[in-house]
Amino acid sequence: MVLSHGGRDVLCRLWKPLSRQRRWRGAEDGGVGKTTLIQKASEVLQSSGMPVDGFYTQEVRQGGRRIGFDVVTLSGARGPLSRVGSQPPPGKPECRVGQYVVDLASFEQLALPVLRNVFLLWLRISNQLARWPNPGAGQAGPSRSPGHSVCIIDEIGKMELFSQPFIQAVRQTLSTPGTVVLGTIPVPKGKPLALVEEIRNRHDVKVFSVTKENRNNLLPEIVTCVQNSRT
């Protein structure tokens, strides 16, 4: 899982590598439980008053068999990310990871607006603050900081990285001032993924490794990291 706090003096608090490949090859729960951890963290942060938006991936089962993954936004919108044995639209190249064919149009339709809104929200608040005069001595005035919000990105993996607009949106979100990014990236395995390694090596990103053994103990630490990155 990764946490990144965008801005010039960014100090990222939280990315933790969680492998979707481990989920694909895992037991009945599909992996180490990182999506459940992400969901719990977002609920705690929202209840504490922090604005939270983003999306997570969720496995889809039919008759006890995993047939793919869905993208689910925090606002409740859902659509297919990938399916077993599906075919791409006519004239479109096939984006395949193992037995899963990625529905790139569905993914981009759900994920890109969420990331775009994070930047637009910061831009709108910044413009509003710019119209306020600096408060004089003894005068009350609005904070000169746009405030902070949290963006959930679960995950940045092989399937999602077929999308070039998504890659650009992730980079923009990571650099958006006042934005704390809480996301997941795969553990290093096989051919490196350029954006994943770029994120892993950022000076403002902190990486936590999540396992079945430590996942239940990480929630308080993750929440504290996010909240502390506001200061």
Side-chain angles (χ1 to χ4, degrees):
M1 180 176 295
V2 178
L3 174 128
S4 173
H5 181 188
R8 179 177 297 176
D9 297 322
V10 179
L11 179 60
C12 172
R13 307 278 184 203
L14 197 88
W15 273 94
K16 67 183 174 183
L18 289 159
S19 170
R20 193 206 309 275
Q21 292 176 341
R22 290 175 67 178
R23 286 196 280 138
W24 292 339
R25 300 172 184 172
E28 299 75 35
D29 64 357
V32 298
K34 59 91 182 177
T35 294
T36 301
L37 189 57
I38 283 277
Q39 290 172 308
K40 289 181 178 179
S42 67
E43 291 170 0
V44 173
L45 292 167
Q46 284 178 312
S47 66
S48 72
M50 290 190 74
V52 183
D53 202 356
F55 70 90
Y56 59 90
T57 56
Q58 191 170 68
E59 68 176 12
V60 179
R61 288 184 173 268
Q62 187 176 76
R65 172 176 172 263
R66 185 186 300 120
I67 62 170
F69 296 91
D70 275 356
V71 178
V72 185
T73 69
L74 295 192
S75 62
R78 175 188 289 266
L81 170 62
S82 64
R83 290 293 186 271
V84 173
S86 62
Q87 298 296 322
K92 298 292 184 180
E94 183 180 75
C95 301
R96 177 182 290 273
V97 179
Q99 62 181 326
Y100 301 100
V101 176
V102 179
D103 189 334
L104 206 57
S106 171
F107 169 67
E108 291 181 341
Q109 184 178 5
L110 287 166
L112 295 183
V114 171
L115 301 184
R116 190 178 301 118
N117 287 341
V118 170
F119 176 75
L120 292 177
L121 174 63
W122 169 81
L123 191 63
R124 183 167 64 250
I125 294 175
S126 296
N127 288 338
Q128 290 173 349
L129 289 176
R131 291 195 292 267
W132 282 80
N134 287 322
Q139 293 179 326
S143 168
R144 305 307 297 174
S145 169
H148 296 85
S149 63
V150 179
C151 181
I152 305 294
I153 307 179
D154 171 34
E155 71 180 325
I156 302 174
K158 287 184 178 180
M159 292 187 184
E160 295 83 1
L161 293 180
F162 279 113
S163 170
Q164 288 300 314
F166 175 70
I167 292 173
Q168 296 170 7
V170 168
R171 287 187 173 127
Q172 183 180 61
T173 304
L174 286 168
S175 300
T176 299
T179 300
V180 180
V181 177
L182 173 59
T184 58
I185 56 177
V187 294
K189 186 174 183 179
K191 183 179 179 181
L193 301 173
L195 181 61
V196 171
E197 295 311 305
E198 176 186 319
I199 291 170
R200 197 190 310 279
N201 294 321
R202 286 176 63 114
H203 73 279
D204 56 354
V205 167
K206 183 173 182 179
V207 180
F208 290 84
S209 294
V210 179
T211 66
K212 290 183 178 180
E213 291 71 32
N214 72 2
R215 63 189 179 189
N216 293 329
N217 298 322
L218 280 177
L219 180 60
E221 185 176 358
I222 289 169
V223 171
T224 299
C225 280
V226 176
Q227 293 174 333
N228 286 349
S229 66
R230 303 174 66 182
T231 59

